[in-house]
Amino acid sequence: VNQLDNEKCDYDNILEQLKEAYGSKVVPIQYPISTGPGFNALIDVLLMKKYSWKPEGGAPVIEDIPAEELEKATEMHKALVEAAAENDEGLMEKFFEQDSLSEDEMREGIRKGLVARGMFPVFCVCGGKDMGVRRLMEFLGNVVPFVSEMPKVQNTEGKEVAPDVSGKVREGDDLLNADRGSKERIAQIYVVAGGNRVKVEELQAGDIGAAVKLKDVKTGNTLNGKDCDYKFNFIKYPNSKYSRAIKPVNEADVEKMMTILNRMREEDPTWVIEQSKERKQTR
């Protein structure tokens, strides 16, 4: 949950909405002491510590949980322990015997819950002020399962593809677009961070990068190397929730506007563009 410094942020309401959507599998790892422009502290119920920041954010000050928050934190800690134990019979037995788990045991239970999609942990961050980000990244590095631990994906033929592939994509490689049947030569390769892009010679399996001047690649396409013929079903996106009517300032630019809208639709499949004859609108 980001932007906890927003004046309209209602963390408890957000948590309820998450539980309505995903059920009891939603389990908070942290909760903010307060939200809004003054947000600068949270309680971590996995580590049972208070994290706070100076106005510039960055490295947190880690302290014991204050007395006024201890009852709430303890209750949420027990809920987290129980949720972690549910994902492993051995941990569940120990939980019943001791009513607690060690920090490492909780991490293991959470990891198994993530693998089985039996648990959705909730973290608190304020990305704009660098508050909570480091703790989240620490969790991603220490607890989140490796790709090899996750269930295998299936291609369009129903064949399981183990996520243990290693390899590299280099400048000049010729790849085949499995969805469109066209060939693509990889020109320049970049890694991108916001508005910055850094040129690299290759990308390894697991890297996230960008290529330029691809001639026939659309969102969701699979590019294969030699001796590989995998094709995967397109991602199923949720239905659009908002609609807007749009028109150009000058009626003469309708065709240009539709060209741009359709180009944006290709990049973002959650867009739905339709023309209503009854309302004489483009939506």
Side-chain angles (χ1 to χ4, degrees):
V1 178
N2 194 10
Q3 297 185 17
L4 291 167
D5 61 330
N6 190 295
E7 60 183 12
K8 295 183 180 180
C9 178
D10 184 341
Y11 177 78
D12 292 335
N13 183 45
I14 293 169
L15 201 57
E16 285 305 311
Q17 290 183 43
L18 288 171
K19 289 181 177 179
E20 286 176 11
Y22 300 101
S24 59
K25 296 177 181 180
V26 173
V27 185
I29 300 285
Q30 303 169 334
Y31 70 88
I33 293 178
S34 64
T35 58
F39 167 76
N40 72 339
L42 58 81
I43 302 296
D44 190 302
V45 299
L46 172 57
L47 300 179
M48 288 301 283
K49 292 290 183 181
K50 174 189 174 184
Y51 281 64
S52 60
W53 292 267
K54 295 179 180 178
E56 66 272 16
V61 175
I62 305 174
E63 304 169 292
D64 290 336
I65 297 175
E68 64 271 18
E69 296 292 336
L70 196 55
E71 183 179 349
K72 179 179 179 180
T74 301
E75 183 179 333
M76 294 177 68
H77 176 77
K78 287 183 177 179
L80 176 59
V81 172
E82 187 171 356
E86 285 180 357
N87 301 293
D88 184 279
E89 288 186 10
L91 292 178
M92 182 60 79
E93 289 178 6
K94 185 171 183 180
F95 173 66
F96 284 140
E97 291 173 2
Q98 303 181 8
D99 199 32
S100 66
L101 295 176
S102 70
E103 199 174 298
D104 287 340
E105 288 169 338
M106 289 177 66
R107 288 195 177 100
E108 183 61 23
I110 293 170
R111 179 183 291 110
K112 290 183 177 179
L114 292 173
V115 171
R117 292 183 171 84
M119 183 177 184
F120 301 115
V122 182
F123 279 80
C124 300
V125 299
C126 179
K129 295 181 178 178
D130 189 12
M131 296 179 180
V133 179
R134 301 179 190 209
R135 170 71 179 117
L136 173 61
M137 297 305 294
E138 178 187 80
F139 179 85
L140 294 177
N142 295 338
V143 182
V144 170
F146 293 107
V147 174
S148 58
E149 297 177 274
M150 296 299 293
K152 297 176 182 178
V153 296
Q154 292 186 345
N155 62 16
T156 52
E157 298 175 352
K159 178 183 177 182
E160 285 191 339
V161 180
D164 58 1
V165 180
S166 62
K168 298 179 180 179
V169 175
R170 299 181 176 89
E171 286 187 6
D173 282 357
D174 290 315
L175 304 178
L176 178 66
N177 189 324
D179 301 272
R180 304 176 71 82
S182 54
K183 291 184 178 180
E184 290 287 345
R185 170 159 288 188
I186 302 298
Q188 295 169 315
I189 302 175
Y190 298 90
V191 290
V192 182
N196 301 320
R197 63 181 190 181
V198 179
K199 190 175 181 300
V200 294
E201 300 299 319
E202 64 183 25
L203 293 174
Q204 298 186 31
D207 288 344
I208 298 176
V212 297
K213 299 181 179 178
L214 299 177
K215 60 182 181 181
D216 192 29
V217 175
K218 308 297 181 184
T219 300
N221 287 172
T222 301
L223 301 181
N224 289 323
K226 294 179 181 179
D227 304 319
C228 183
D229 189 26
Y230 290 145
K231 185 177 179 182
F232 298 91
N233 288 318
F234 190 61
I235 297 170
K236 293 181 180 179
Y237 291 99
N239 295 327
S240 302
K241 292 185 176 181
Y242 305 101
S243 63
R244 294 287 186 274
I246 185 172
K247 65 178 182 180
V249 175
N250 301 311
E251 288 299 321
D253 291 332
V254 170
E255 190 173 335
K256 290 181 181 179
M257 181 191 75
M258 291 305 300
T259 299
I260 293 171
L261 288 176
N262 283 312
R263 188 185 305 160
M264 295 172 76
R265 165 73 178 82
E266 289 179 356
E267 295 179 0
D268 185 350
T270 61
W271 279 49
V272 176
I273 302 170
E274 59 184 16
Q275 290 182 303
S276 173
K277 293 182 179 179
E278 294 80 8
R279 298 181 180 181
K280 297 181 180 181
Q281 290 179 338
T282 298
R283 306 174 68 211

